[in-house]
Amino acid sequence: MNRKLTTLALGMAAVLAAVPAFAQETKPVGLSVRLGIFLPSDSGTQSAVGKTWFGGGVEYKIQNLNFGTMNKGYTSALSISLDYYSKSSVSIMPITVNYVGSMNEFFYTAGAGIAMLKDGSTENRFCYVLGLGYNFTKGPQPIFLEARYLGVPSATGAQGFGIFVGTRF
């Protein structure tokens, strides 16, 4: 288990170290990439599959919105995201449409969509995501930390929390 977490941490460090190479373009394209861990909240899933899973995802900003622009420093956007959480032969792949609001360095997200669950067979279920994050750096390659909750009401074994580090392009 420690070997897998060490490998994951080294992989995230390599991705973040390579980020400055992409800093040549000054206009952001609206793409975010995140890597981290997913922690299923169901004790049955933890016992059968494991407590700590690999997690990662990409998010693309579709358009900026004008909701809540009365407050200086507040921005909002509509995005689509694809995440992937996996351990052994079990995986969860939520695809969601999200509202993302941000105020200075802090941001939050709320979205809904479909989760593709794979455990021998594949099922598609309604899902939702809620998240909070913090942008550590600004500029052409911002780095962020984000905590997300995945809810799949009809499949309690597929719910849980994710902790991610990522960057925006």
Side-chain angles (χ1 to χ4, degrees), residues 62-135:
I62 298 170
Q63 73 179 49
N64 290 320
L65 301 173
N66 291 323
F67 299 137
T69 55
M70 301 289 273
N71 294 330
K72 186 177 180 181
Y74 184 85
T75 60
S76 60
L78 185 65
S79 72
I80 186 165
S81 65
L82 168 68
D83 289 284
Y84 181 76
Y85 311 130
S86 176
K87 176 92 175 197
S88 301
S89 63
V90 179
S91 65
I92 306 166
M93 191 166 54
I95 301 171
T96 58
V97 175
N98 310 293
Y99 174 83
V100 180
S102 62
M103 181 72 158
N104 300 321
E105 294 85 17
F106 293 95
F107 65 93
Y108 66 93
T109 185
I114 295 174
M116 291 176 266
L117 313 174
K118 183 182 171 222
D119 182 12
S121 65
T122 303
E123 298 179 38
N124 297 330
R125 303 284 177 100
F126 168 78
C127 70
Y128 63 92
V129 293
L130 301 171
L132 292 172
Y134 183 81
N135 291 310

Side-chain angles (χ1 to χ4, degrees), residues 1-10 12 34-41 50-57 83-87 92 145-150 159-166:
M1 168 106 155
N2 288 335
R3 179 187 246 184
K4 288 181 182 180
L5 289 177
T6 302
T7 303
L8 178 62
L10 289 174
M12 290 186 332
R34 59 183 164 264
L35 292 172
I37 59 172
F38 177 72
L39 309 164
S41 56
K51 293 181 180 182
T52 306
W53 298 21
F54 165 79
D83 289 284
Y84 181 76
Y85 311 130
S86 176
K87 176 92 175 197
I92 306 166
L145 180 65
E146 184 177 14
R148 293 172 71 92
Y149 177 76
L150 171 66
Q159 301 184 117
F161 293 92
I163 301 169
F164 305 97
V165 63

